[in-house]
Amino acid sequence: MGLLDQISTGIDDFQRTSFNAQFGGGCPLCKGVNSLDRRKLEGEMHVVCENCGAVFKNLLFRGIQLIKGGEKYLGETMPLNAWRMIRFLPKEDQIIAFYSDKFVNFYATTVGIVREWGSYSFLRYSDILDIQLVKTWSVNLIHLIGFMFFLAVGLLAAVLMLAIFPEGALFFSLPFLGIAAILLMLGRKWVYQVYSPILSKKELKDWRLRKTKSKGVMDFVSVVRAQIEAESEAT
């Protein structure tokens, strides 16, 4: 093998490793290492596992669909991060629902809920008491700065007007104080809160699902509630 052939093989190996890394290191179904490759089938590029023969089709913005192999997920269309999570699950477990909340991903499996944000956190259904719709404080920096600004302006207006026109002090400060109150109230938001006795108050904040009017989050919550009820009945 000549030098150019060695260089060519090295580049191909690197590209293959990089491509498989997107799926967590290889096939999500058989857990093969660097077993995925791209092949043209029926005029379209697909992802094929050389170990188990699984075939995945890229549906662009809709996600990646399994069109061959793996009875559990055959025909399922999921984002890349969900297929990557499947690779790390035990073979007897499987994803039954998933939801992405900004940079945080939640996966409901047959055993519990996995939370992904840099690292993985896991709660078994047996450790979850409930998932409820509640209103919590979630003040962002813009709302906080705006609240403090209008509060300060309102108080300053009241102090200045007390010296000039005491009867109108409250009248002039009320609009600013009202805006401050509105900005503060905007920090009260509805979330789905996962309750578990093994979580601290600080940890509970990480187990909240926002975008409560989203069909995706409502479907996810329905699946989780059904699993919690099934677990409760079994025990």
Side-chain angles (χ1 to χ4, degrees), residues 33-227:
V33 178
N34 289 341
S35 61
L36 298 176
D37 201 357
R38 285 169 288 197
R39 291 184 189 171
K40 198 168 187 178
L41 302 174
E42 299 180 355
E44 293 182 332
M45 292 300 296
H46 293 75
V47 178
V48 179
C49 176
E50 295 177 343
N51 282 354
C52 66
V55 179
F56 301 86
K57 182 178 181 180
N58 190 346
L59 300 179
L60 298 178
F61 299 109
R62 290 174 54 197
I64 297 173
Q65 182 182 45
L66 177 66
I67 60 175
K68 181 181 177 182
E71 294 181 1
K72 287 182 181 179
Y73 300 104
L74 187 61
E76 291 284 342
T77 301
M78 292 184 283
L80 185 60
N81 61 279
W83 290 112
R84 189 163 52 239
M85 172 55 64
I86 290 170
R87 177 172 171 79
F88 293 105
L89 290 177
K91 286 188 176 182
E92 61 273 13
D93 197 4
Q94 72 179 90
I95 291 178
I96 52 178
F98 57 88
Y99 172 70
S100 294
D101 189 349
K102 292 185 178 179
F103 301 108
V104 184
N105 299 316
F106 292 93
Y107 310 92
T109 77
T110 53
V111 178
I113 305 176
V114 182
R115 178 183 180 274
E116 178 189 15
W117 190 65
S119 58
Y120 300 114
S121 303
F122 178 71
L123 279 177
R124 290 183 174 275
Y125 293 121
S126 57
D127 292 324
I128 300 174
L129 297 177
D130 199 2
I131 178 167
Q132 296 180 353
L133 184 62
V134 297
K135 211 165 190 179
T136 61
W137 287 104
S138 182
V139 182
N140 62 35
L141 185 59
I142 294 175
H143 289 160
L144 185 60
I145 292 174
F147 164 74
M148 295 179 68
F149 172 78
F150 284 101
L151 178 64
V153 172
L155 294 176
L156 181 61
V159 171
L160 292 176
M161 290 307 298
L162 278 173
I164 303 172
F165 181 43
E167 293 80 3
L170 183 61
F171 174 78
F172 281 100
S173 63
L174 271 179
F176 300 105
L177 296 177
I179 295 173
I182 291 172
L183 287 171
L184 188 63
M185 291 306 296
L186 287 174
R188 292 277 287 173
K189 295 183 179 179
W190 289 101
V191 299
Y192 281 105
Q193 175 69 66
V194 176
Y195 289 101
S196 172
I198 69 172
L199 295 176
S200 66
K201 288 184 177 180
K202 183 178 179 181
E203 290 172 329
L204 279 172
K205 294 179 181 179
D206 295 331
W207 291 85
R208 291 174 179 171
L209 286 76
R210 297 165 180 82
K211 299 181 181 179
T212 52
K213 295 182 180 180
S214 160
K215 184 179 183 301
V217 73
M218 288 189 286
D219 289 345
F220 183 89
V221 170
S222 295
V223 169
V224 170
R225 281 176 173 165
Q227 293 298 119

Side-chain angles (χ1 to χ4, degrees), residues 6-51:
Q6 291 178 359
I7 294 174
S8 177
T9 301
I11 293 173
D12 290 341
D13 289 343
F14 173 79
Q15 290 176 339
R16 183 187 182 94
T17 301
S18 177
F19 176 70
N20 277 266
Q22 297 178 53
F23 288 82
C27 179
L29 305 181
C30 70
K31 322 295 185 185
V33 178
N34 289 341
S35 61
L36 298 176
D37 201 357
R38 285 169 288 197
R39 291 184 189 171
K40 198 168 187 178
L41 302 174
E42 299 180 355
E44 293 182 332
M45 292 300 296
H46 293 75
V47 178
V48 179
C49 176
E50 295 177 343
N51 282 354

